[in-house]
Amino acid sequence: MKKIILILLFTFLPIAIFAAPFGLSMGMSLDDITEACEGAEPRYIENDCYYVFPVKKHPLFKHYIAFVDNEKGLYCLKAISDDIQTNDYGTEIQNAFAEIKERVSKTYGRPRMIDEIASDSLWKDAKYWVDALVDGARTYACIWESSAKNKLKDDLIDVSIYASAQRVPQIGWIILEYDFNNMQSVNDAQDDVF
């Protein structure tokens, strides 16, 4: 009986390990992340922020950033798209956003979409879509939030996608962010100094 349990454990354990976003799960230490990335060590950026090299990647994303606390482990993961050349209307950014939103929705269901522009913005006309995004007058995002009715899998409190851009050259990015359930306890510990 013990042999059967061990066989089942070792058969399904790798599936469980790689079931989380990009094969990385809540609470992983830097050593755990290195192991999940087949020996590619996280590259320190600053504070809790590390550039990581997951084995389980998606072709729409070029960069992966992990936020790892010394005690709580991995608490946030961001995937950033490659540069998206775009026109003034942000058509290419919006198309890439829609594609990623559709794919993530297959896993987490229907998100809450946020497409807002500040009431006092100078960039209200559609031909200034990118300018509004660059200046922070436009928010273009969607979010999947964990709730009592809709508990997100993989120990996630929320998943979000948002667009970012710059003017020269006129390019944009799509950022996919996974916030794990331990994020609040990390924030609370950091705020304890105040």
Side-chain angles (χ1 to χ4, degrees):
M1 184 65 173
K2 286 183 182 179
K3 285 183 180 180
I4 292 172
I5 292 172
L6 285 174
I7 290 169
L8 288 173
L9 179 65
F10 286 110
T11 301
F12 293 107
L13 185 60
I15 293 169
I17 289 172
F18 290 106
F22 305 108
L24 303 175
S25 56
M26 182 180 87
M28 289 179 112
S29 67
L30 291 173
D31 289 338
D32 295 334
I33 293 169
T34 300
E35 187 177 328
C37 295
E38 295 185 343
E41 292 186 18
R43 199 167 63 214
Y44 179 73
I45 299 172
E46 63 181 355
N47 301 324
D48 289 348
C49 189
Y50 295 84
Y51 195 90
V52 295
F53 310 90
V55 174
K56 189 176 175 183
K57 297 179 184 177
H58 194 282
L60 295 175
F61 297 99
K62 184 175 183 178
H63 307 284
Y64 298 87
I65 309 295
F67 293 80
V68 183
D69 180 75
N70 289 335
E71 293 178 20
K72 307 287 184 187
L74 179 65
Y75 63 90
C76 178
L77 181 62
K78 293 185 182 189
I80 304 165
S81 73
D82 203 351
D83 295 351
I84 302 166
Q85 300 293 327
T86 192
N87 60 23
D88 293 337
Y89 296 87
T91 305
E92 294 80 6
I93 296 171
Q94 292 178 61
N95 289 342
F97 185 98
E99 181 180 351
I100 293 167
K101 176 183 155 194
E102 181 67 29
R103 290 177 182 220
V104 175
S105 292
K106 290 177 184 176
T107 302
Y108 298 106
R110 189 170 170 217
R112 177 172 53 94
M113 185 68 196
I114 305 165
D115 184 6
E116 300 172 351
I117 190 159
S119 59
D120 61 346
S121 174
L122 301 172
W123 312 112
K124 289 187 181 181
D125 193 85
K127 68 181 177 183
Y128 301 119
W129 195 91
V130 172
D131 289 316
L133 192 62
V134 170
D135 284 351
R138 174 176 299 283
T139 300
Y140 196 71
C142 64
I143 187 165
W144 293 262
E145 295 174 293
S146 192
S147 66
K149 282 185 169 182
N150 182 32
K151 190 95 167 136
L152 295 178
K153 64 182 187 172
D154 300 324
D155 293 314
L156 291 164
I157 194 162
D158 62 54
V159 178
S160 58
I161 302 172
Y162 52 96
S164 180
Q166 71 178 31
R167 278 192 189 92
V168 181
Q170 192 159 291
I171 56 175
W173 304 273
I174 306 299
I175 298 98
L176 171 59
E177 180 174 330
Y178 295 89
D179 296 330
F180 293 98
N181 287 323
N182 61 347
M183 181 181 241
Q184 189 57 53
S185 62
V186 170
N187 290 341
D188 290 346
Q190 291 172 352
D191 292 348
D192 194 39
V193 299
F194 301 126

